[in-house]
Amino acid sequence: MSAGGTLRSPPGREAAVVAQAFACHPTAGPWVIQVPRTKEAEYAVIRYGMLPEHSEWTLEGTLHTVSEVKIHYMIDELLRTCDAFGPEPLPPEEEAAQRFRMRLMLERILFICLYESQAQTEKHSSAEAIEETLSYINEHYMLKLTLPMLARRAGMSGGHYTVLFKRHTGMTLTAYLHRLRIEKARQLFLQTDLPAKEIALRVGFADYFHFSKTFKKVTGTAPSVFLQQTSKNQT
């Protein structure tokens, strides 16, 4: 869409689902997408005929999703498939196959939006949401974990998640993650003969200097000193 443009509900007030998690209900008043004059936006409007054909559209409100990348990919595929219907008619079998493929992709997009929206509303409390992300952190501590990603899993803003996380654990997300990773590193030092740099990588530190600094901050000793003390205790 060109800069400063708008998208308004059609005169017939037909229902539409708009890409990037918006549901537009025909009886909920006019809807509009506005873009700042200095910006440009690219969007796709999806229309879907419910079965039976003339049944009332019941979906309304904003849809929530944590799978935007997947949805964007499928919408791109959907638009490319639409481009296949050029001025020249396709053979009947190919046209039927393309339309069937489009319907499958569209139903998958709608399913993801509806399923993840429902999952969002089923979070019973903020404490349970924090507990769920703590379980995720404890299982995936070796991966790159970011505040925005974890906040989205909990269904809240980054600022709100930060406050509730510290209230729930008594420490910041960074401190919790560092303590967890260092504890896992200590276990590997005691249970394996892996070199320190390999252990650093295994617990989620790409930079050994950062690992060594964090290890000393958490344990009070450098990794090399910890290894020496461990060796003396075992002899």
Side-chain angles (χ1 to χ4, degrees):
M1 182 170 66
S2 59
T6 60
L7 175 65
R8 297 186 181 278
S9 54
R13 297 168 67 85
E14 296 181 17
V17 174
V18 182
Q20 290 197 350
F22 292 98
C24 303
H25 195 286
T27 63
W31 44 269
V32 60
I33 294 177
Q34 294 181 322
V35 181
R37 296 186 179 278
T38 57
K39 303 285 185 178
E40 291 188 355
E42 187 175 297
Y43 64 87
V45 177
I46 300 175
R47 297 172 56 195
Y48 186 68
M50 305 295 289
L51 294 177
E53 183 177 354
H54 301 294
S55 62
E56 182 179 356
W57 178 272
T58 58
L59 179 64
E60 61 180 312
T62 303
L63 298 178
H64 300 273
T65 178
V66 293
S67 304
E68 285 125 334
V69 174
K70 183 187 296 184
I71 290 175
H72 290 174
Y73 173 80
M74 286 190 289
I75 288 177
D76 287 341
E77 284 294 303
L78 201 58
L79 295 176
R80 278 194 286 269
T81 305
C82 289
D83 292 339
F85 294 94
E88 297 296 326
L90 297 172
E93 295 83 0
E94 185 176 345
E95 180 176 348
Q98 292 282 26
R99 292 192 180 280
F100 181 72
R101 182 168 178 265
M102 290 172 64
R103 177 169 178 170
L104 288 178
M105 283 192 290
L106 182 53
E107 290 184 349
R108 181 61 179 167
I109 291 169
L110 291 173
F111 172 80
I112 291 172
C113 287
L114 292 172
Y115 177 82
E116 293 185 351
S117 293
Q118 180 67 23
Q120 191 79 7
T121 60
E122 286 179 351
K123 288 192 179 298
H124 301 294
S125 70
S126 297
E128 289 179 346
I130 296 296
E131 279 293 341
E132 191 278 332
T133 58
L134 282 173
S135 296
Y136 184 84
I137 292 170
N138 291 336
E139 293 177 11
H140 302 88
Y141 62 88
M142 72 295 295
L143 303 179
K144 183 179 180 180
L145 302 176
T146 65
L147 171 61
M149 182 265 283
L150 293 169
R152 293 191 64 188
R153 287 191 67 89
M156 58 188 72
S157 69
H160 189 46
Y161 180 82
T162 299
V163 172
L164 292 183
F165 188 94
K166 188 169 185 179
R167 185 183 302 167
H168 192 79
T169 64
M171 61 186 76
T172 65
L173 171 62
T174 300
Y176 182 90
L177 190 54
H178 282 174
R179 186 175 294 273
L180 176 62
R181 285 173 170 169
I182 295 306
E183 180 56 34
K184 297 296 183 180
R186 281 164 53 94
Q187 293 175 12
L188 288 174
F189 277 133
L190 294 171
Q191 298 169 3
T192 72
D193 295 325
L194 291 171
K197 288 186 177 180
E198 176 65 20
I199 288 177
L201 290 173
R202 290 199 177 195
V203 298
F205 287 91
D207 181 1
Y208 180 75
F209 175 77
H210 185 210
F211 167 75
S212 180
K213 184 178 179 180
T214 305
F215 192 97
K216 186 173 183 178
K217 181 178 180 181
V218 172
T219 66
T221 59
S224 56
V225 176
F226 178 79
L227 281 172
Q228 291 174 1
Q229 293 174 346
T230 302
S231 300
K232 288 181 180 179
N233 293 334
Q234 292 176 346
T235 56

